[in-house]
């Protein structure tokens, strides 16, 4: 029973992803190619990293609405440090990651220590990070830097005309890391335990508070990391980037079969969810008839479908 | 616990009166403005209309007040509606498109719009009640899709509004007072009467306090929630129409952006707990006024509009902390220790 419950949503995700890809391959010339597949990873690298962080938060039965703003803040912070403050790129990235972790840990501490609802605290975080981004600079800062060019030019050929860039590779490596983190580390198992049933986790003597703060700190790291990838992708920093990204990330996680009630799901599903997202986006690019507005509606429809499926599965369990 | 057993009435009533916090916040904002620039309070009459910052606070705050009134009911039932910003966009876009592009009169377009946004709210409610989805997630779906729908309605354009009756909604005055404010007052009075003079308020609070128990006592919790979400949708759509009217255009991307947060903020600071149960409509109005006063004060102090979210965030989290029992206990411990030391 437990096995079917865990794997069923994943099968549904695989089914949706495969059929979307198959339909698109038949409908559009040149869709079925290694180049398109490689681009799926490139285009979704920052959403992917964000969604992986969100997966851990949702597994612990929390939610983090601040990720989009933290991404925007990170892009402008990095661009400012590199371009205007003359800090070397690795140091700027390090600072951004530390700020992300501290910000996440701060929100986690508020949630855990004062028993505040996570969505409210992270809503405050959303406002805060958004405003702080504009404190640094209210307009976009372009990044012209030798190191950035070198990273941008770095790519691995995976097939004829198909390349994986630094962003895509970082996403794939980070996915493997998250897989390891959730499956084979103590922290990962604690996250599942806390999300599954916080009270019994506490009774078992697990450090529930520390795990929950750790989850938000980890997600802060992921958001900052995604922000850095965004600067690579766009070659600039802008406090407006990342608006609405939290919704895309939550949608990708849910489509990937992670239950919003916590404790069930994982990184593999999220990877598939992110790729589904990217496939829909690619289809919209291939087909001029669809307006960009359809992306939101299609994602919302998928989200609704998956949530209802999850409900049905959960009811089957009762 | 022992303190609770023998309540000291005078002490308890002041500290536990939820209206204390928004009023204290307002007092702070007013004090700040009295010190930095008393001209903040000047109200003049031009062309028979009232002008001045104080009037702006109310007229610009009218939209958030409408959102907050609906949100209060939803939160009172133990839910939350994240889609109000997107529903605002749909309301503004639909009404403007009907009037400007399709030649409808306002008297036809407005009821159609309110019917549609009401149906959207009903859809939210149905997912919460029938689909048994957590409210945050159920309303997230419309939050994601709503802006796309608004873009489809206007064909990704900004719709300009020239219809006089429509513009009157956002720019008109009655007896020198903005029309939008009369509208909010009317909505508030109707809601207050329905809620306090009938059992409706009691029923909503019962559902929010303990849905299970309320069902055992014969309350149709599901139907009540459906109505509440539908009302929230209607008020959000109305706020979108007002927004479009006040700037003479409906921009599907911008209308209602982040307004869901403003609405939740106004409700929480107004003393309605996010966990549901007891709610205060007037508190939410005060919360909306505080929010608008804070925003306007920041603008006057030269804080760029884009940076304004930072102090807003600090206030939100601060208010939440003040409402947290653990934080209060820590603070009172610190005060006690300090008192002993001296």
């Amino acid at each position: 029973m437990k096995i079917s419950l865990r794997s069923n949503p994943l099968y549904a995700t695989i089914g949706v992803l495969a059929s979307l890809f198959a339909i698109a391959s038949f409908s559009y010339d040149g869709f079925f190619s290694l180049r398109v597949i490689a681009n799926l990873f490139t285009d979704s690298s920052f959403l992917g990293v964000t969604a992986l962080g969100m997966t851990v938060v949702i597994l612990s039965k929390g939610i983090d609405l601040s990720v989009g703003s933290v991404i925007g803040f990170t892009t402008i912070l990095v661009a400012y440090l590199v371009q205007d403050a003359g800090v070397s790129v690795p140091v700027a990235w390090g600072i951004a990651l530390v700020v992300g972790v501290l910000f996440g840990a701060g929100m986690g501490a508020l949630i855990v220590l004062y028993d505040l609802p996570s969505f409210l605290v992270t809503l405050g975080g959303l406002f805060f990070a958004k405003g702080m981004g504009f404190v640094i600079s209210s307009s976009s800062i372009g990044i012209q830097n030798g190191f950035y060019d070198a990273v941008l030019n770095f790519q691995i050929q995976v097939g004829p005309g198909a390349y994986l860039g630094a962003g895509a590779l970082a996403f794939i490596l980070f996915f493997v890391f998250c897989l390891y983190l959730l499956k084979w580390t103590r922290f990962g198992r604690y996250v599942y335990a806390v999300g599954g049933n916080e009270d019994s986790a506490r009774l078992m003597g697990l450090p529930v508070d520390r795990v929950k703060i750790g989850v938000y700190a980890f997600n802060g790291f992921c958001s900052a990391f995604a922000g850095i990838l965004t600067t690579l992708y766009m070659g600039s920093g802008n406090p407006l980037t990342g608006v609405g990204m939290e919704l895309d990330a939550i949608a990708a996680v849910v489509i990937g079969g992670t239950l919003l009630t916590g404790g069930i799901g994982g990184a593999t599903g999220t990877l598939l969810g992110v790729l589904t997202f990217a496939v829909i986006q690619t289809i919209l690019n291939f087909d001029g008839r669809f307006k960009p507005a359809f992306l939101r509606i299609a994602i919302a429809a998928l989200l609704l479908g998956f949530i209802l499926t999850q409900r049905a599965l959960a009811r089957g369990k009762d | 616990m022992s303190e609770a057993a023998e309540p000291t009435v005078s002490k308890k009533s002041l500290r536990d009166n939820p209206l204390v916090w928004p009023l204290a916040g307002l007092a702070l904002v007013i004090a700040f403005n009295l010190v930095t620039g008393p001209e903040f309070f000047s109200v003049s009459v031009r062309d028979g209309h009232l002008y001045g910052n104080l009037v702006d606070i109310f007229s610009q705050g009218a939209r958030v007040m409408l959102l907050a009134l609906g949100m209060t009911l939803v939160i009172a039932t133990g839910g939350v509606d994240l889609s109000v910003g997107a529903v605002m966009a749909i309301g503004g876009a639909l009404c403007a498109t009907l009037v400007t592009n399709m030649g409808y009169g306002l008297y036809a377009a407005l009821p159609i719009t309110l019917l549609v946004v009401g149906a959207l709210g009903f859809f939210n409610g149905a997912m919460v009640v029938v689909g048994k989805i957590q409210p945050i997630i159920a309303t997230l779906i419309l939050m994601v899709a709503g802006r796309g729908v608004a873009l489809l309605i206007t064909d990704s354009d900004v719709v300009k509004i020239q219809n006089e009756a429509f513009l009157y909604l956002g720019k008109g005055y009655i007896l020198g007072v903005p029309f939008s404010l009369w509208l909010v007052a009317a909505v508030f009075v109707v809601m207050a009467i329905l809620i306090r003079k009938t059992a409706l308020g009691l029923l909503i609070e019962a559902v929010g306090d303990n849905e299970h128990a309320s069902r055992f006592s014969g309350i149709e919790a599901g139907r009540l929630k459906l109505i509440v979400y539908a009302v929230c949708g209607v008020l959000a759509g109305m706020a979108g129409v007002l927004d479009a009217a006040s700037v003479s255009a409906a921009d599907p991307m911008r209308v209602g952006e982040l307004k869901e947060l403003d609405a939740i903020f106004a409700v929480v600071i107004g003393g309605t707990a996010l966990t549901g149960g007891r709610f205060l409509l007037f508190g939410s109005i005060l919360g909306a006024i505080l929010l608008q006063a804070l925003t306007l004060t920041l603008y006057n102090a030269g804080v760029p509009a884009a940076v304004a979210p930072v102090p807003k965030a600090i206030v939100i989290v601060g208010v939440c902390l003040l409402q947290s029992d653990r934080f209060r206990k820590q603070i009172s411990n610190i005060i006690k220790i300090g008192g002993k030391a001296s």
Side-chain angles (χ1 to χ4, degrees):
Chain A
M1 189 60 215
K2 214 167 193 180
I3 289 169
S4 75
L5 192 74
R6 279 192 184 182
S7 46
N8 262 337
L10 209 56
Y11 289 144
T13 316
I14 295 171
V16 168
L17 178 59
S19 43
L20 270 176
F21 195 81
I23 293 169
S25 301
F26 281 115
S27 310
Y28 311 109
D29 287 335
F31 195 96
F32 186 76
S33 68
L34 220 48
R35 188 178 59 83
V36 169
I37 295 174
N39 282 347
L40 289 181
F41 283 91
T42 307
D43 294 338
S44 59
S45 60
F46 42 93
L47 175 63
V49 171
T50 315
L52 286 169
M54 189 66 86
T55 309
V56 178
V57 177
I58 291 180
L59 280 177
S60 79
K61 210 174 182 174
I63 195 99
D64 189 346
L65 299 177
S66 74
V67 292
S69 293
V70 175
I71 289 173
F73 173 76
T74 307
T75 64
I76 196 68
L77 176 68
V78 169
Y80 169 78
L81 287 175
V82 170
Q83 210 61 33
D84 293 358
V87 177
S88 77
V89 173
V91 175
W93 287 0
I95 293 174
L97 290 174
V98 169
V99 170
V101 169
L102 290 179
F103 188 69
M107 290 194 300
L110 282 174
I111 292 166
V112 170
L113 298 181
Y114 298 110
D115 211 11
L116 299 176
S118 54
F119 97 94
L120 201 75
V121 171
T122 55
L123 207 64
L126 184 158
F127 272 137
F128 190 81
K130 199 176 158 88
M132 287 311 281
F134 282 97
V135 169
I136 296 177
S137 165
S138 55
S139 58
S140 168
I141 299 179
I143 301 175
Q144 265 99 38
N145 184 286
F147 190 87
Y148 256 85
D149 293 339
V151 175
L152 275 178
N153 287 330
F154 176 79
Q155 48 188 17
I156 295 176
Q157 185 158 21
V158 287
Y163 300 92
L164 284 179
L169 289 171
F171 169 34
I172 294 167
L173 285 178
F174 194 68
F175 163 70
V176 174
F177 170 73
C178 287
L179 210 57
Y180 167 79
L181 183 77
L182 284 172
K183 275 215 166 129
W184 283 288
T185 67
R186 193 182 289 177
F187 176 75
R189 284 195 298 273
Y190 284 1
V191 168
Y192 279 98
V194 170
N197 190 331
E198 191 175 322
D199 291 334
S200 29
R202 217 177 275 280
L203 288 174
M204 278 160 65
L206 303 188
V208 173
D209 290 352
R210 254 188 296 153
V211 170
K212 283 171 88 176
I213 294 176
V215 162
Y216 288 95
F218 177 72
N219 195 39
F221 175 87
C222 293
S223 306
F225 187 23
I228 291 171
L229 291 180
T230 311
T231 61
L232 274 176
Y233 189 78
M234 303 198 314
S236 65
N238 189 332
L240 281 172
T241 358
V243 172
M245 193 77 133
E246 54 278 351
L247 302 179
D248 296 349
I250 294 172
V253 172
V254 173
I255 291 171
T258 295
L259 293 197
L260 285 160
T261 41
I264 294 174
T268 316
T270 299
L271 176 72
L272 296 171
V274 170
L275 290 179
T276 308
F277 204 103
V279 167
I280 296 176
Q281 212 157 11
T282 313
I283 291 175
L284 294 179
N285 289 343
F286 262 73
D287 194 324
R289 284 173 303 171
F290 292 124
K291 298 196 181 72
F294 274 113
L295 176 66
R296 318 255 60 173
I297 297 172
I299 294 297
L302 264 185
L303 193 58
L304 178 60
F306 273 88
I307 291 174
L308 290 178
T309 321
Q310 289 186 356
R311 284 305 317 178
L313 284 174
R315 217 166 288 166
K317 194 185 71 171
D318 290 342
Chain B
M1 282 296 130
S2 59
E3 286 143 306
E6 31 186 321
T8 43
V9 179
S10 63
K11 219 173 164 187
K12 212 169 183 258
S13 62
L14 184 65
R15 209 217 265 153
D16 285 352
N17 189 341
L19 292 183
V20 165
W21 299 115
L23 284 174
L26 262 180
L28 265 178
V29 172
I30 290 172
F32 178 83
N33 281 301
L34 273 176
V35 174
T36 57
E39 68 274 8
F40 187 81
F41 297 99
S42 70
V43 174
S44 58
V45 180
R46 259 180 264 165
D47 308 332
H49 303 154
L50 291 173
Y51 274 96
N53 283 319
L54 292 183
V55 183
D56 283 352
I57 288 175
F58 286 100
S59 64
Q60 287 170 18
R63 283 156 253 159
V64 179
M65 289 183 209
L66 281 182
L67 293 181
L69 285 174
M71 188 71 83
T72 309
L73 298 185
V74 171
I75 289 181
T77 65
V80 74
D81 187 349
L82 294 182
S83 73
V84 290
V87 173
M88 263 183 93
I90 294 177
L94 183 61
C95 199
T97 307
L98 285 173
V99 170
T100 304
N101 297 350
M102 300 173 75
Y104 280 75
L106 184 70
Y107 304 101
L110 195 57
I112 295 175
T113 305
L114 295 185
L115 210 63
V116 170
V117 290
L120 289 174
F122 193 81
F123 171 73
N124 278 334
M127 282 195 294
V128 172
V129 174
V130 184
K132 293 201 167 56
I133 305 171
Q134 306 133 270
I136 298 179
I137 306 304
T139 55
L140 185 76
I141 293 170
L142 191 55
M143 187 185 183
V144 175
R147 225 157 266 283
V149 172
L151 282 167
L152 283 186
I153 291 173
T154 67
D155 204 11
S156 308
D157 265 342
V158 176
V159 182
K160 298 225 165 56
I161 300 160
Q162 268 136 9
N163 184 304
E164 295 220 343
F166 197 153
L167 292 178
Y168 183 82
L169 295 178
K171 296 178 174 173
Y173 286 81
I174 300 175
L175 298 176
V177 176
F179 173 80
S180 50
L181 217 54
W182 289 103
L183 185 73
V184 173
V187 170
F188 174 73
V189 168
V190 169
M191 280 172 80
I193 289 173
L194 278 179
I195 276 161
R196 294 302 171 209
K197 297 293 166 198
T198 72
L200 201 58
L202 186 70
L203 298 184
I204 290 176
E205 290 186 347
V207 169
D209 257 343
N210 189 335
E211 188 174 343
H212 212 60
S214 77
R215 213 174 297 133
F216 281 129
S217 50
I219 299 173
E220 293 211 42
R223 201 189 293 174
L224 206 60
K225 281 186 173 182
L226 280 175
I227 296 172
V228 161
Y229 279 93
V231 167
C232 188
V234 169
L235 291 178
M238 194 62 227
V241 171
L242 288 185
D243 192 300
S246 71
V247 296
S248 314
D251 181 345
M253 280 312 281
R254 294 248 88 98
V255 173
E257 206 181 18
L258 290 179
K259 279 288 179 290
E260 51 282 69
L261 310 183
D262 284 5
I264 295 171
F265 169 76
V267 174
V268 171
I269 206 173
T272 301
L274 273 171
T275 41
R278 190 176 60 157
F279 66 98
L280 288 137
L281 286 178
F282 188 63
S284 302
I285 296 275
L286 275 183
I289 293 173
L290 170 58
L291 185 68
Q292 202 60 41
L294 187 68
T295 312
L296 212 62
T297 303
L298 291 169
Y299 290 171
N300 281 3
V303 178
V307 181
V310 174
K312 232 191 234 178
I314 294 172
V315 174
I316 292 181
V317 174
V319 169
C320 293
L321 279 177
L322 287 175
Q323 293 178 346
S324 146
D325 288 338
R326 273 193 227 173
F327 183 76
R328 284 189 183 188
K329 224 170 264 170
Q330 282 184 358
I331 291 295
S332 60
N333 278 347
I334 290 171
I335 291 171
K336 262 182 218 158
I337 291 165
K340 266 177 200 161
S342 66

